[in-house]
Amino acid sequence: MYAIYNLVVSISWFFLKILAVFNTKIKLFVAGRTVSFKKLRSSLSKDDQVIWMHVASLGEFEQGLPIIEGLRAEYPSRKILLTFFSPSGYEIKKNTPAVDVVVYLPMDTRKNASRFLDIARPELAIFVKYEIWPNYLRALEKRKVPTLLVSAIFKDEQIYFKGYGGYMRKALRRFDHYFVQDEASQKLLGSIEIKNVTISGDTRLDRVSEILDADNHLDFMRAFKKDRLCFVAGSTWSEGESILIDYINHAPKNLKYVLAPHTIRKDKILGLAGAITKKKVLYSNIREHSAGIFSNIDGQPVGDCDVLIVDTIGLLTKIYSYADIAYVGGGFATGLHNTLEPAVFGIPVIIGPHFKGFKEAEDLVARKGIYPVADQWAFDEFMKKLLDDPEFRKRTGKINAEYIAKNKGASAQIMTYIRKLP
């Protein structure tokens, strides 16, 4: 099975290099990996003490960040190496000051794993959520490098728990310790004789809790919102945008709207703006004339606009702090985005109908802090209820804030374990 796995990885890499000619994202995936070893050699010396964290993409980076911050505070002399699997994470965070080195993880071949570890020489390896790479884990075990899996969550449909999943079970068992999000994950690991497990919860709850203490002030948002209620739709996709646009175009004018699409291509943004009949402004067209005075390029005050379309990245978390109601995209087709970022501000959150597999969304839907809607009618009716009943709106948001406050603390448990390592 080991030989078959390595053959599949090698064949996959061959075809990815061909597909890279035709696909921008795959091109980044391939091109980034061609310089990983060079970047490692130029960034790390033999005298460096290295802690390695591997994440799949941006969401897992956010889960790992509280641990990175803990490691920085506890071990300031260590260098922190961060690897990504996906371009959608690497391209956004490749220059993050949170760590010392950021590279793509080379493909999981035996040769790459050995070469990577020979250069990096980590004294600790931390994998986030469900990144299980057999060759890397085999090489780490051989070198006796303590290796942790954190914020992990398991489902019985995963290969590790199937009769034919022996090879991946063997890889999974190579971790020294597992920090899982829930009891169900602990029981599943127990069913395959993995006992070195701690139920710590999701480190993302620690991450979003930190947001409350951050400076979330945005002058242009204060000028835009003024004293009106504000609805913020974050990480939107076309499948849900049709519902949002219809509502915005027909809803009363006593509400401000912010749309932050997942895709910010110019044609996408212009199409979105063209479909909205209310007064709107693009973030890229906002001009500051003096302290607190903002207008669009035509000189119209942004406070006179009903809709703000955010055609940039990096502002959404702070924008949520101005919201009274939030919508999080991806729940109609593509995969639900981060519902915790708005929820931490104690506001109601609306999502599409497909949220299974996202534990925090499942938990908060059950508690009725997050509401899934399946169509235009359901969205309109729930918005009406939130706007007509301020006490209901506050109670709903409070459920979300209390859930996060009650369940944070995973990072502290993980750091306690790391401190005890020899």
Side-chain angles (χ1 to χ4, degrees):
M1 190 63 196
Y2 182 64
I4 294 173
Y5 173 82
N6 282 292
L7 180 62
V8 169
V9 173
S10 297
I11 292 172
S12 299
W13 180 239
F14 173 78
F15 281 108
L16 282 168
K17 288 189 286 186
I18 296 173
L19 292 171
V21 178
F22 310 99
N23 184 287
T24 301
K25 189 171 183 178
I26 296 177
K27 183 178 180 180
L28 292 170
F29 181 97
V30 171
R33 281 169 167 79
T34 63
V35 298
S36 289
F37 291 117
K38 180 180 179 181
K39 189 171 181 182
L40 279 175
R41 283 193 298 269
S42 66
S43 303
L44 298 174
S45 74
K46 291 183 178 180
D47 295 326
D48 289 328
Q49 294 175 288
V50 178
I51 298 174
W52 171 32
M53 177 177 286
H54 175 65
V55 301
S57 192
L58 190 59
E60 290 75 24
F61 169 78
E62 294 295 334
Q63 286 179 301
L65 191 55
I67 302 170
I68 290 172
E69 291 170 346
L71 292 168
R72 276 283 193 222
E74 194 79 20
Y75 308 103
S77 65
R78 266 66 165 183
K79 279 196 172 182
I80 299 178
L81 164 64
L82 176 68
T83 57
F84 280 93
F85 179 78
S86 167
S88 58
Y90 176 85
E91 295 302 325
I92 294 174
K93 293 297 181 180
K94 59 186 175 183
N95 296 315
T96 177
V99 300
D100 298 287
V101 189
V102 185
V103 298
Y104 279 102
L105 182 71
M107 292 292 284
D108 185 36
T109 65
R110 182 171 57 182
K111 181 179 179 181
N112 281 348
S114 180
R115 187 180 176 191
F116 180 92
L117 294 177
D118 284 345
I119 299 171
R121 300 176 311 282
E123 59 184 23
L124 171 66
I126 303 170
F127 287 52
V128 179
K129 198 171 183 179
Y130 41 48
E131 285 289 280
I132 314 298
W133 296 111
N135 282 307
Y136 281 98
L137 291 170
R138 188 169 184 249
L140 285 164
E141 184 181 57
K142 185 177 180 181
R143 287 166 169 77
K144 295 181 170 53
V145 178
T147 305
L148 313 181
L149 183 64
V150 304
S151 283
I153 189 163
F154 292 97
K155 304 291 182 182
D156 57 9
E157 63 265 22
Q158 290 173 304
I159 189 172
Y160 319 109
F161 313 107
K162 302 297 182 183
Y164 52 81
Y167 180 71
M168 292 305 294
R169 274 196 297 277
K170 186 176 181 180
L172 181 63
R173 290 187 178 120
R174 296 187 190 277
F175 287 99
D176 291 282
H177 202 83
Y178 308 75
F179 291 90
V180 298
Q181 294 188 29
D182 56 18
E183 186 179 357
S185 295
Q186 183 188 47
K187 288 181 177 178
L188 281 169
L189 290 175
S191 72
I192 56 172
E193 302 303 318
I194 294 176
K195 306 296 185 182
N196 46 330
V197 182
T198 300
I199 303 173
S200 59
D202 189 346
T203 50
R204 278 189 307 166
L205 297 173
D206 300 331
R207 172 61 180 149
V208 296
S209 294
E210 293 172 359
I211 292 171
L212 287 177
D213 299 322
D215 179 7
N216 294 303
H217 182 77
L218 295 170
D219 286 332
F220 75 88
M221 274 301 301
R222 185 164 62 177
F224 169 73
K225 180 179 178 178
K226 298 200 291 190
D227 59 352
R228 301 206 350 229
L229 293 178
C230 185
F231 171 84
V232 176
S235 304
T236 64
W237 291 78
S238 56
E239 293 84 358
E241 285 167 356
S242 58
I243 291 175
L244 299 173
I245 291 168
D246 184 84
Y247 180 82
I248 291 170
N249 287 342
H250 296 96
K253 292 186 177 182
N254 62 340
L255 187 63
K256 293 277 189 166
Y257 305 90
V258 179
L259 296 181
H262 175 75
T263 301
I264 56 172
R265 293 191 322 266
K266 186 175 180 179
D267 60 328
K268 165 74 175 179
I269 294 296
L270 293 178
L272 192 61
I276 294 171
T277 57
K278 283 187 168 67
K279 291 181 182 179
K280 63 262 182 178
V281 61
L282 302 185
Y283 171 79
S284 59
N285 287 340
I286 292 177
R287 302 291 182 266
E288 183 175 9
H289 300 282
S290 59
I293 307 299
F294 295 84
S295 73
N296 65 14
I297 55 177
D298 297 324
Q300 182 183 43
V302 296
D304 292 348
C305 297
D306 300 302
V307 183
L308 167 62
I309 299 175
V310 183
D311 53 348
T312 189
I313 60 173
L315 293 175
L316 182 57
T317 300
K318 291 187 176 184
I319 289 173
Y320 278 136
S321 72
Y322 290 84
D324 298 283
I325 303 167
Y327 165 88
V328 174
F332 280 93
T334 57
L336 187 63
H337 287 269
N338 192 343
T339 54
L340 294 173
E341 286 186 350
V344 74
F345 292 108
I347 58 174
V349 178
I350 303 172
I351 60 174
H354 306 302
F355 59 90
K356 298 299 182 184
F358 296 87
K359 182 181 183 299
E360 69 284 354
E362 291 178 354
D363 288 349
L364 286 169
V365 167
R367 289 166 172 77
K368 298 188 177 179
I370 291 179
Y371 275 74
V373 297
D375 52 33
Q376 188 75 57
W377 180 87
F379 180 87
D380 292 355
E381 285 298 302
F382 188 62
M383 283 293 293
K384 185 176 187 303
K385 186 174 183 180
L386 290 171
L387 295 173
D388 289 350
D389 189 344
E391 287 304 313
F392 172 72
R393 185 173 68 245
K394 291 176 183 177
R395 287 197 308 272
T396 302
K398 187 178 180 182
I399 291 169
N400 292 331
E402 288 179 345
Y403 171 85
I404 293 170
K406 181 180 178 182
N407 290 285
K408 65 182 181 179
S411 303
Q413 292 187 59
I414 295 165
M415 286 303 302
T416 297
Y417 178 91
I418 291 172
R419 288 188 199 99
K420 295 177 181 177
L421 290 173

mmCIF file of all heavy atoms in Angstrom, residues 4 13 20 26 33 57 112 119 122 127 143 163 223 226 229 248 255 274 305 311-312 331 359 389 393 420:
data_model
loop_
_atom_site.group_PDB
_atom_site.id
_atom_site.type_symbol
_atom_site.label_atom_id
_atom_site.label_comp_id
_atom_site.label_asym_id
_atom_site.label_seq_id
_atom_site.Cartn_x
_atom_site.Cartn_y
_atom_site.Cartn_z
ATOM 1 N N ILE A 4 1.928 2.016 -3.487
ATOM 2 C CA ILE A 4 0.797 2.515 -4.282
ATOM 3 C C ILE A 4 0.539 3.988 -3.961
ATOM 4 O O ILE A 4 0.317 4.803 -4.857
ATOM 5 C CB ILE A 4 -0.456 1.661 -4.016
ATOM 6 C CG1 ILE A 4 -0.248 0.235 -4.535
ATOM 7 C CG2 ILE A 4 -1.690 2.301 -4.669
ATOM 8 C CD1 ILE A 4 -1.365 -0.716 -4.167
ATOM 9 N N TRP A 13 1.248 14.726 -9.070
ATOM 10 C CA TRP A 13 2.143 15.866 -9.275
ATOM 11 C C TRP A 13 2.433 16.071 -10.772
ATOM 12 O O TRP A 13 2.466 17.208 -11.254
ATOM 13 C CB TRP A 13 3.432 15.637 -8.512
ATOM 14 C CG TRP A 13 4.456 16.733 -8.630
ATOM 15 C CD1 TRP A 13 5.723 16.616 -9.109
ATOM 16 C CD2 TRP A 13 4.306 18.099 -8.257
ATOM 17 N NE1 TRP A 13 6.376 17.814 -9.058
ATOM 18 C CE2 TRP A 13 5.537 18.760 -8.532
ATOM 19 C CE3 TRP A 13 3.266 18.840 -7.702
ATOM 20 C CZ2 TRP A 13 5.744 20.105 -8.296
ATOM 21 C CZ3 TRP A 13 3.463 20.193 -7.451
ATOM 22 C CH2 TRP A 13 4.692 20.819 -7.745
ATOM 23 N N ALA A 20 -1.496 23.077 -14.610
ATOM 24 C CA ALA A 20 -1.091 24.424 -14.206
ATOM 25 C C ALA A 20 -1.029 25.388 -15.377
ATOM 26 O O ALA A 20 -1.162 26.600 -15.203
ATOM 27 C CB ALA A 20 0.269 24.363 -13.507
ATOM 28 N N ILE A 26 -4.008 26.308 -9.800
ATOM 29 C CA ILE A 26 -3.090 25.166 -9.837
ATOM 30 C C ILE A 26 -1.681 25.633 -10.196
ATOM 31 O O ILE A 26 -0.688 25.094 -9.696
ATOM 32 C CB ILE A 26 -3.597 24.103 -10.838
ATOM 33 C CG1 ILE A 26 -4.938 23.530 -10.357
ATOM 34 C CG2 ILE A 26 -2.579 22.976 -10.989
ATOM 35 C CD1 ILE A 26 -5.563 22.530 -11.305
ATOM 36 N N ARG A 33 5.591 25.516 -4.984
ATOM 37 C CA ARG A 33 6.324 24.370 -4.440
ATOM 38 C C ARG A 33 7.704 24.194 -5.072
ATOM 39 O O ARG A 33 8.566 23.535 -4.484
ATOM 40 C CB ARG A 33 5.488 23.097 -4.618
ATOM 41 C CG ARG A 33 4.393 22.988 -3.570
ATOM 42 C CD ARG A 33 3.369 21.898 -3.861
ATOM 43 N NE ARG A 33 2.558 21.681 -2.679
ATOM 44 C CZ ARG A 33 1.540 22.462 -2.306
ATOM 45 N NH1 ARG A 33 1.219 23.504 -3.058
ATOM 46 N NH2 ARG A 33 0.862 22.219 -1.200
ATOM 47 N N SER A 57 -5.160 25.629 4.779
ATOM 48 C CA SER A 57 -5.486 26.882 4.111
ATOM 49 C C SER A 57 -5.728 27.978 5.146
ATOM 50 O O SER A 57 -5.300 27.874 6.294
ATOM 51 C CB SER A 57 -6.708 26.695 3.210
ATOM 52 O OG SER A 57 -6.873 27.800 2.344
ATOM 53 N N ASN A 112 10.770 14.043 -0.631
ATOM 54 C CA ASN A 112 10.480 15.413 -0.201
ATOM 55 C C ASN A 112 10.419 15.519 1.314
ATOM 56 O O ASN A 112 10.922 16.483 1.901
ATOM 57 C CB ASN A 112 9.154 15.879 -0.795
ATOM 58 C CG ASN A 112 9.270 16.315 -2.235
ATOM 59 O OD1 ASN A 112 10.379 16.490 -2.751
ATOM 60 N ND2 ASN A 112 8.139 16.479 -2.907
ATOM 61 N N ILE A 119 16.383 19.921 6.193
ATOM 62 C CA ILE A 119 16.654 21.365 6.172
ATOM 63 C C ILE A 119 16.056 22.053 7.403
ATOM 64 O O ILE A 119 16.714 22.855 8.074
ATOM 65 C CB ILE A 119 16.091 22.020 4.889
ATOM 66 C CG1 ILE A 119 16.747 21.420 3.649
ATOM 67 C CG2 ILE A 119 16.292 23.531 4.917
ATOM 68 C CD1 ILE A 119 16.094 21.844 2.349
ATOM 69 N N PRO A 122 12.899 20.453 12.636
ATOM 70 C CA PRO A 122 12.010 20.951 13.702
ATOM 71 C C PRO A 122 12.166 20.145 14.980
ATOM 72 O O PRO A 122 12.399 18.941 14.950
ATOM 73 C CB PRO A 122 10.619 20.746 13.097
ATOM 74 C CG PRO A 122 10.784 19.605 12.146
ATOM 75 C CD PRO A 122 12.153 19.765 11.567
ATOM 76 N N PHE A 127 0.304 19.850 13.416
ATOM 77 C CA PHE A 127 -0.587 19.803 12.258
ATOM 78 C C PHE A 127 -1.980 20.245 12.720
ATOM 79 O O PHE A 127 -2.423 19.844 13.801
ATOM 80 C CB PHE A 127 -0.667 18.399 11.684
ATOM 81 C CG PHE A 127 0.580 17.960 10.932
ATOM 82 C CD1 PHE A 127 1.845 18.053 11.502
ATOM 83 C CD2 PHE A 127 0.465 17.441 9.650
ATOM 84 C CE1 PHE A 127 2.985 17.651 10.821
ATOM 85 C CE2 PHE A 127 1.596 17.026 8.952
ATOM 86 C CZ PHE A 127 2.861 17.136 9.542
ATOM 87 N N ARG A 143 12.441 10.356 13.127
ATOM 88 C CA ARG A 143 13.379 11.312 13.731
ATOM 89 C C ARG A 143 13.038 11.621 15.186
ATOM 90 O O ARG A 143 13.688 12.429 15.818
ATOM 91 C CB ARG A 143 13.395 12.608 12.920
ATOM 92 C CG ARG A 143 14.112 12.493 11.586
ATOM 93 C CD ARG A 143 13.782 13.692 10.699
ATOM 94 N NE ARG A 143 14.635 13.773 9.519
ATOM 95 C CZ ARG A 143 14.495 13.022 8.436
ATOM 96 N NH1 ARG A 143 13.516 12.113 8.384
ATOM 97 N NH2 ARG A 143 15.318 13.160 7.403
ATOM 98 N N GLY A 163 -13.104 -0.228 6.781
ATOM 99 C CA GLY A 163 -12.332 -1.462 6.711
ATOM 100 C C GLY A 163 -11.144 -1.372 5.771
ATOM 101 O O GLY A 163 -10.114 -2.022 5.987
ATOM 102 N N ALA A 223 -18.638 56.567 9.248
ATOM 103 C CA ALA A 223 -19.249 57.581 8.375
ATOM 104 C C ALA A 223 -20.366 56.987 7.525
ATOM 105 O O ALA A 223 -21.380 57.637 7.275
ATOM 106 C CB ALA A 223 -18.179 58.198 7.479
ATOM 107 N N LYS A 226 -23.483 55.711 10.168
ATOM 108 C CA LYS A 226 -24.112 56.780 10.946
ATOM 109 C C LYS A 226 -24.865 56.175 12.129
ATOM 110 O O LYS A 226 -24.301 55.389 12.876
ATOM 111 C CB LYS A 226 -24.987 57.649 10.040
ATOM 112 C CG LYS A 226 -24.163 58.350 8.941
ATOM 113 C CD LYS A 226 -24.848 59.548 8.343
ATOM 114 C CE LYS A 226 -26.045 59.210 7.529
ATOM 115 N NZ LYS A 226 -26.553 60.387 6.777
ATOM 116 N N LEU A 229 -29.200 50.950 11.690
ATOM 117 C CA LEU A 229 -28.856 49.534 11.794
ATOM 118 C C LEU A 229 -28.103 49.112 10.540
ATOM 119 O O LEU A 229 -28.331 49.640 9.450
ATOM 120 C CB LEU A 229 -30.122 48.685 11.942
ATOM 121 C CG LEU A 229 -30.926 48.844 13.242
ATOM 122 C CD1 LEU A 229 -32.166 47.965 13.197
ATOM 123 C CD2 LEU A 229 -30.073 48.493 14.452
ATOM 124 N N ILE A 248 -32.335 43.562 -0.678
ATOM 125 C CA ILE A 248 -31.837 44.932 -0.604
ATOM 126 C C ILE A 248 -32.651 45.862 -1.490
ATOM 127 O O ILE A 248 -33.020 46.980 -1.084
ATOM 128 C CB ILE A 248 -30.345 44.977 -1.007
ATOM 129 C CG1 ILE A 248 -29.491 44.291 0.069
ATOM 130 C CG2 ILE A 248 -29.872 46.420 -1.213
ATOM 131 C CD1 ILE A 248 -28.054 44.067 -0.341
ATOM 132 N N LEU A 255 -32.202 50.707 6.753
ATOM 133 C CA LEU A 255 -31.147 49.746 7.048
ATOM 134 C C LEU A 255 -29.980 49.981 6.099
ATOM 135 O O LEU A 255 -30.165 50.231 4.915
ATOM 136 C CB LEU A 255 -31.680 48.315 6.868
ATOM 137 C CG LEU A 255 -30.789 47.139 7.289
ATOM 138 C CD1 LEU A 255 -30.507 47.173 8.773
ATOM 139 C CD2 LEU A 255 -31.467 45.816 6.920
ATOM 140 N N GLY A 274 -24.171 46.626 -10.362
ATOM 141 C CA GLY A 274 -25.195 46.924 -11.362
ATOM 142 C C GLY A 274 -26.548 46.341 -11.031
ATOM 143 O O GLY A 274 -27.577 46.858 -11.479
ATOM 144 N N CYS A 305 -25.207 56.930 1.137
ATOM 145 C CA CYS A 305 -25.364 55.680 0.401
ATOM 146 C C CYS A 305 -26.008 54.617 1.297
ATOM 147 O O CYS A 305 -25.829 54.616 2.513
ATOM 148 C CB CYS A 305 -24.017 55.174 -0.111
ATOM 149 S SG CYS A 305 -23.230 56.280 -1.294
ATOM 150 N N ASP A 311 -14.675 45.788 -2.127
ATOM 151 C CA ASP A 311 -13.926 45.153 -3.218
ATOM 152 C C ASP A 311 -12.442 45.046 -2.876
ATOM 153 O O ASP A 311 -11.568 45.321 -3.703
ATOM 154 C CB ASP A 311 -14.138 45.904 -4.535
ATOM 155 C CG ASP A 311 -13.838 47.396 -4.430
ATOM 156 O OD1 ASP A 311 -13.683 47.890 -3.300
ATOM 157 O OD2 ASP A 311 -13.774 48.049 -5.485
ATOM 158 N N THR A 312 -12.162 44.649 -1.663
ATOM 159 C CA THR A 312 -10.802 44.391 -1.204
ATOM 160 C C THR A 312 -10.864 43.293 -0.152
ATOM 161 O O THR A 312 -11.952 42.871 0.248
ATOM 162 C CB THR A 312 -10.159 45.669 -0.617
ATOM 163 O OG1 THR A 312 -8.774 45.428 -0.373
ATOM 164 C CG2 THR A 312 -10.821 46.075 0.695
ATOM 165 N N GLY A 331 -23.084 28.793 2.322
ATOM 166 C CA GLY A 331 -24.017 27.773 2.786
ATOM 167 C C GLY A 331 -25.059 27.354 1.771
ATOM 168 O O GLY A 331 -25.913 26.522 2.083
ATOM 169 N N LYS A 359 -18.961 22.246 12.772
ATOM 170 C CA LYS A 359 -19.427 22.008 14.135
ATOM 171 C C LYS A 359 -20.001 23.250 14.801
ATOM 172 O O LYS A 359 -21.063 23.198 15.426
ATOM 173 C CB LYS A 359 -18.291 21.443 14.991
ATOM 174 C CG LYS A 359 -18.728 21.112 16.424
ATOM 175 C CD LYS A 359 -17.594 20.575 17.257
ATOM 176 C CE LYS A 359 -18.087 20.201 18.645
ATOM 177 N NZ LYS A 359 -18.636 21.368 19.383
ATOM 178 N N ASP A 389 -38.479 43.091 15.980
ATOM 179 C CA ASP A 389 -38.396 42.724 17.396
ATOM 180 C C ASP A 389 -36.963 42.893 17.895
ATOM 181 O O ASP A 389 -36.162 41.939 17.895
ATOM 182 C CB ASP A 389 -38.855 41.276 17.580
ATOM 183 C CG ASP A 389 -39.014 40.888 19.038
ATOM 184 O OD1 ASP A 389 -38.484 41.610 19.914
ATOM 185 O OD2 ASP A 389 -39.660 39.854 19.308
ATOM 186 N N ARG A 393 -33.777 40.162 18.499
ATOM 187 C CA ARG A 393 -32.490 40.316 17.826
ATOM 188 C C ARG A 393 -31.350 40.271 18.854
ATOM 189 O O ARG A 393 -30.339 39.601 18.651
ATOM 190 C CB ARG A 393 -32.463 41.634 17.055
ATOM 191 C CG ARG A 393 -31.207 41.827 16.217
ATOM 192 C CD ARG A 393 -31.302 43.059 15.341
ATOM 193 N NE ARG A 393 -31.283 44.296 16.102
ATOM 194 C CZ ARG A 393 -32.282 45.162 16.180
ATOM 195 N NH1 ARG A 393 -33.421 44.920 15.530
ATOM 196 N NH2 ARG A 393 -32.189 46.273 16.883
ATOM 197 N N LYS A 420 5.324 20.814 28.810
ATOM 198 C CA LYS A 420 5.769 19.617 29.521
ATOM 199 C C LYS A 420 6.623 18.690 28.656
ATOM 200 O O LYS A 420 7.144 17.677 29.140
ATOM 201 C CB LYS A 420 4.558 18.844 30.054
ATOM 202 C CG LYS A 420 3.771 19.609 31.104
ATOM 203 C CD LYS A 420 2.528 18.841 31.557
ATOM 204 C CE LYS A 420 1.735 19.622 32.598
ATOM 205 N NZ LYS A 420 0.491 18.913 32.997
#
